[in-house]
Amino acid sequence: MIITAKVILVLLMLFMVFNLMRALLAMLRDDPTQPSMTRFLGRRVGASILAIVIIVVLMATGVLDPNPRPY
């Protein structure tokens, strides 16, 4: 189960980078007929929130152990 959770988190990170690049292209293009940059940045923020929720749930259920040493 932990391997699938890690795969899901890695895919979410790749999705965030992909949407960040699409936002960059939308900003450089500046075409009013295409989707705006805020759409892609909003998707990135949503994926970040989803990743944090998944990490918190995994830590609360004991599937994912945090690092016991702070350094």
Side-chain angles (χ1 to χ4, degrees):
M1 173 145 172
I2 193 165
I3 294 174
T4 58
K6 287 182 180 180
V7 169
I8 290 171
L9 289 173
V10 167
L11 290 175
L12 278 172
M13 296 296 171
L14 290 174
F15 181 72
M16 286 184 240
V17 171
F18 175 72
N19 277 309
L20 192 60
M21 292 301 122
R22 292 211 41 199
L24 174 68
L25 291 175
M27 179 180 68
L28 293 174
R29 195 174 43 229
D30 197 26
D31 186 8
T33 61
Q34 298 293 324
S36 67
M37 178 180 64
T38 57
R39 177 179 179 191
F40 301 115
L41 292 177
R43 285 182 181 175
R44 181 180 170 265
V45 169
S48 301
I49 291 170
L50 182 62
I52 290 171
V53 167
I54 289 172
I55 291 171
V56 168
V57 167
L58 290 175
M59 288 176 65
T61 58
V63 174
L64 187 65
D65 294 326
N67 188 5
R69 298 176 61 185
Y71 51 86

